[in-house]
Amino acid sequence: MSALSQDTRFMRAAIALSLRGLGRTAPNPNVGCIIVRDGTIVGRGWTQPGGRPHAEAQALAQADGVTEGATAYVTLEPCFHLSPRGPRCVELLHRAKVARVVIAAPDPDPRTNGQSLAWLREQGIDVSVGLLRAEAEAAMTAFFARQMLGRPAVTLKLGLSLDGCIACADGTSQWITGATARAHAHLLRASHDAILVGRGTWWADKPRLDVRLSGLEDRAPRRILLGHGTAPEGWTLIDDPARIADLEGVSSILIEGGAQTAAAFLRADLVDRLVLYRAPILIGGGKPAIGDIGLPSLDVAHGRWQRADRRPLGEDMMEVYARTRAS
Amino acid sequence: MSALSQDTRFMRAAIALSLRGLGRTAPNPNVGCIIVRDGTIVGRGWTQPGGRPHAEAQALAQADGVTEGATAYVTLEPCFHLSPRGPRCVELLHRAKVARVVIAAPDPDPRTNGQSLAWLREQGIDVSVGLLRAEAEAAMTAFFARQMLGRPAVTLKLGLSLDGCIACADGTSQWITGATARAHAHLLRASHDAILVGRGTWWADKPRLDVRLSGLEDRAPRRILLGHGTAPEGWTLIDDPARIADLEGVSSILIEGGAQTAAAFLRADLVDRLVLYRAPILIGGGKPAIGDIGLPSLDVAHGRWQRADRRPLGEDMMEVYARTRAS
């Protein structure tokens, strides 16, 4: 195996590890790290719930001293800034005497951006940046949205029929999608910092919005309500989609309903990703998935969404679309 | 190559040939036939426009005498009944001295059903039935619907957004899908005997419903209008979906719009196939694809449609669903 393809494999593994922290590290990024010495993985780490320890610290601790001359694969540029909560990762890597650091994505945070690369190189460490950068950034979408857009990343989830209905005319929606798709939707919940519904959905369904998957019960994200008035107990109330920017410690939000709430976020162009669970049924004359989004013409509708994933889940089909934005 | 896999390959080729007659042979089936002698294809035929010559007659004519001891691959049991329009295919095969006849599907027409098999065997010809039967029947869906259901096969075509809209709130629908999907929809027209729209669509769009594909301009199917009153020139008027059974020489119908017409056919359970061209756009608050279909509950909606095909067409996705019916 060539050195290049080894690097790619190890970085891919680091990205896979990073996903374990999804929805649990905000405002910190969910980073993954792998330490390799003489072709053997000696340490694996990912950002822990609450944001500490960092992935590098965890991986180095696991390597337990056998790190001299090793290579560290990190999905994000290691932190440079001082924090009362733990040591700087650049120093940890230097002290561990690693010979090489392979980084997927530079850290957009101005307290680190580029400074770690320079500092590590000054210490005589071989540093490279950019390997699987797009994949790594996709795995840390929430963190990048916070840094680049100044607000949480927003996913709109819809369970709908072939003809685009989310319920029958009488409001019945149990069940449009099957058990596999519904379980996947709970995984989706577990990977977001917060879940948001509109006042109408809250009133009609009094949704629990917890994660009903064995072993993941403690993952219930924060609950946000879009509406006016007073917040029900255990909920945070916002009166405008733009207010999501003010939600501290929230880097990702999953919108779970209903059609007017979805429309409000789409109208404000605040949706970054659509996750559609599409059942092979026709409802006909049911409740449409999305209310008026103020589309001025069909031309404008095109070129905004790009298919990012598609897979069958039982009888249903999951389709993921990403908002295309000029970067 | 084993004899079995050769048979399968030749039958597959015969089925491919049969599709050339789609939408042009009603009330006759669109059959395909291949004559093979010493491992070489010596004749290829498919039912010609208007229903004659039959596939077997055409293939044998092309083989031009070198058919003694050959094998004939036919997608449907050769005809047994006498017709003023041409010779019986069983006699043609016998006269051609073929040694073997491989048939995909038995002919449900009581004038032939099983009788050809028996008669050919009596003449000492080796006859087998059932190879790729399901595929062959799928290629002759229109004929089988006429024979088994007593009415044309019905395809409902929809060009829609991710949220199930077929137009903006103001009725604009040009264009939801892209050029590739629209060209494919014209191919779909060319493969049906008739096209049907509702009075509303006719009034709003005055649709030409012709085939705008180079070389296929002559394929314009018959035009049927669902509604009341008098038929516009060049149109056949029916006042109820069930009346499609009375349309002579029509074995397949493509429903092109609108939402109420689609709903009327779905309510009557007269749709056999959905062809959805789905564009990667959101409209939000637009015109829903399908009106009220009288669904009593969500349970009933399940188990009716099975995904039969799915392929990208440019930016759009084509999805085909077949109505599951107890046979």
Side-chain angles (χ1 to χ4, degrees):
Chain A
M1 199 182 340
S2 71
L4 180 66
S5 75
Q6 268 211 20
D7 278 354
T8 303
R9 283 182 52 179
F10 287 132
M11 187 59 83
R12 199 158 278 150
I15 293 171
L17 285 179
S18 78
L19 294 171
R20 299 192 181 187
L22 262 188
R24 316 188 81 189
T25 65
N28 281 23
N30 55 304
V31 178
C33 176
I34 276 179
I35 312 288
V36 176
R37 191 160 181 262
D38 300 331
T40 301
I41 295 178
V42 293
R44 295 150 70 249
W46 58 95
T47 317
Q48 294 298 296
R52 294 272 173 174
H54 283 184
E56 299 92 323
Q58 216 203 2
L60 289 169
Q62 194 181 72
D64 199 18
V66 293
T67 53
E68 188 167 350
T71 298
Y73 296 85
V74 203
T75 62
L76 186 72
E77 183 180 356
C79 64
F80 187 75
H81 49 283
L82 295 163
S83 159
R85 295 185 64 203
R88 304 196 301 170
C89 286
V90 283
E91 272 178 34
L92 289 180
L93 289 163
H94 178 236
R95 267 191 251 150
K97 298 194 168 68
V98 303
R100 189 170 164 241
V101 178
V102 182
I103 296 164
D107 187 347
D109 186 328
R111 296 172 300 173
T112 286
N113 190 283
Q115 298 182 76
S116 295
L117 311 180
W119 189 85
L120 288 168
R121 282 178 181 140
E122 276 166 29
Q123 315 311 314
I125 295 173
D126 175 8
V127 180
S128 66
V129 190
L131 179 64
L132 300 183
R133 177 174 176 169
E135 290 87 335
E137 290 185 353
M140 293 179 282
T141 295
F143 173 73
F144 276 87
R146 261 285 171 215
Q147 293 289 327
M148 313 298 277
L149 305 173
R151 58 159 178 88
V154 175
T155 304
L156 171 60
K157 179 212 107 176
L158 298 169
L160 71 183
S161 62
L162 294 176
D163 53 326
C165 299
I166 53 170
C168 295
D170 68 2
T172 320
S173 63
Q174 293 185 357
W175 294 110
I176 290 175
T177 54
T180 310
R182 298 203 308 273
H184 193 279
H186 278 261
L187 262 184
L188 201 62
R189 272 186 192 167
S191 67
H192 283 77
D193 298 329
I195 303 178
L196 182 144
V197 299
R199 180 67 87 171
T201 297
W202 183 81
W203 194 252
D205 300 352
K206 291 281 180 344
R208 287 159 58 195
L209 299 184
D210 50 4
V211 176
R212 295 190 285 280
L213 291 175
S214 179
L216 294 179
E217 295 85 351
D218 65 331
R219 295 288 189 97
R222 269 178 66 178
R223 296 180 289 180
I224 319 282
L225 190 63
L226 177 69
H228 298 278
T230 52
E233 201 189 320
W235 291 73
T236 303
L237 187 78
I238 61 172
D239 62 1
D240 186 287
R243 293 263 176 265
I244 56 171
D246 308 332
L247 296 166
E248 264 182 66
V250 175
S251 297
S252 61
I253 296 183
L254 179 67
I255 302 180
E256 296 236 17
Q260 295 315 318
T261 300
F265 276 85
L266 287 164
R267 212 179 303 128
D269 197 12
L270 286 172
V271 178
D272 304 298
R273 200 163 59 124
L274 305 173
V275 178
L276 312 178
Y277 299 101
R278 178 132 11 225
I281 66 170
L282 293 176
I283 290 180
K287 302 264 188 215
I290 299 171
D292 181 17
I293 59 173
L295 195 69
S297 78
L298 265 181
D299 291 351
V300 181
H302 288 276
R304 297 168 77 89
W305 300 100
Q306 184 154 32
R307 198 163 38 242
D309 195 5
R310 187 179 69 237
R311 62 182 77 174
L313 293 173
E315 297 288 304
D316 307 317
M317 184 64 65
M318 180 181 78
E319 301 161 16
V320 179
Y321 289 84
R323 177 78 173 89
T324 51
R325 298 187 198 277
S327 54
Chain B
M1 199 183 341
S2 72
L4 180 67
S5 76
Q6 270 212 18
D7 279 356
T8 302
R9 283 183 51 179
F10 287 132
M11 186 60 85
R12 198 157 279 151
I15 292 170
L17 284 178
S18 78
L19 294 171
R20 299 194 181 187
L22 262 188
R24 316 189 77 188
T25 65
N28 280 23
N30 55 306
V31 179
C33 176
I34 275 179
I35 312 289
V36 177
R37 192 160 181 261
D38 300 330
T40 301
I41 295 177
V42 293
R44 295 149 72 249
W46 58 94
T47 316
Q48 293 298 296
R52 294 274 175 173
H54 282 185
E56 300 92 322
Q58 216 203 2
L60 289 168
Q62 193 181 72
D64 199 19
V66 294
T67 54
E68 189 167 350
T71 298
Y73 295 85
V74 202
T75 61
L76 186 72
E77 184 179 355
C79 64
F80 187 74
H81 50 281
L82 295 163
S83 161
R85 295 184 64 202
R88 306 196 297 171
C89 287
V90 284
E91 273 178 36
L92 288 180
L93 289 163
H94 179 234
R95 266 191 251 151
K97 297 194 168 68
V98 303
R100 190 170 163 240
V101 178
V102 182
I103 296 164
D107 187 347
D109 186 328
R111 297 172 300 172
T112 285
N113 189 278
Q115 298 181 76
S116 295
L117 311 180
W119 188 86
L120 287 167
R121 282 176 181 142
E122 275 166 30
Q123 314 312 315
I125 295 172
D126 176 7
V127 179
S128 67
V129 189
L131 179 65
L132 300 182
R133 177 175 175 169
E135 290 88 334
E137 290 185 355
M140 295 179 282
T141 295
F143 173 73
F144 277 86
R146 261 286 171 214
Q147 293 289 325
M148 314 297 279
L149 305 173
R151 60 160 177 85
V154 176
T155 303
L156 171 59
K157 180 212 105 175
L158 297 169
L160 71 185
S161 62
L162 294 175
D163 53 327
C165 299
I166 53 172
C168 295
D170 67 2
T172 319
S173 63
Q174 292 184 2
W175 296 109
I176 290 176
T177 55
T180 311
R182 298 204 307 273
H184 193 279
H186 279 261
L187 262 184
L188 200 62
R189 273 186 191 167
S191 67
H192 282 76
D193 298 329
I195 302 178
L196 183 145
V197 299
R199 181 66 88 172
T201 297
W202 183 81
W203 194 252
D205 299 351
K206 293 280 180 349
R208 287 159 57 194
L209 298 184
D210 48 5
V211 176
R212 294 190 285 279
L213 290 176
S214 179
L216 293 179
E217 296 85 353
D218 65 331
R219 296 288 190 96
R222 269 178 67 178
R223 295 180 288 180
I224 319 281
L225 190 64
L226 177 70
H228 298 279
T230 53
E233 201 189 319
W235 292 74
T236 303
L237 187 77
I238 61 173
D239 62 1
D240 187 286
R243 293 263 177 263
I244 57 170
D246 307 333
L247 296 167
E248 265 182 66
V250 174
S251 297
S252 61
I253 296 182
L254 179 66
I255 302 180
E256 296 235 17
Q260 295 315 318
T261 300
F265 276 84
L266 288 164
R267 213 179 300 127
D269 197 12
L270 286 172
V271 178
D272 305 298
R273 199 162 61 124
L274 306 173
V275 178
L276 312 178
Y277 299 101
R278 180 134 7 228
I281 65 169
L282 293 176
I283 291 180
K287 302 264 188 212
I290 300 172
D292 181 18
I293 60 172
L295 195 69
S297 78
L298 265 182
D299 291 351
V300 181
H302 288 277
R304 297 168 78 90
W305 300 100
Q306 184 154 33
R307 199 163 37 241
D309 195 6
R310 189 178 69 237
R311 63 182 76 174
L313 293 173
E315 295 289 304
D316 307 317
M317 183 63 67
M318 180 182 77
E319 302 162 15
V320 179
Y321 289 83
R323 176 79 172 88
T324 51
R325 297 186 197 278
S327 54

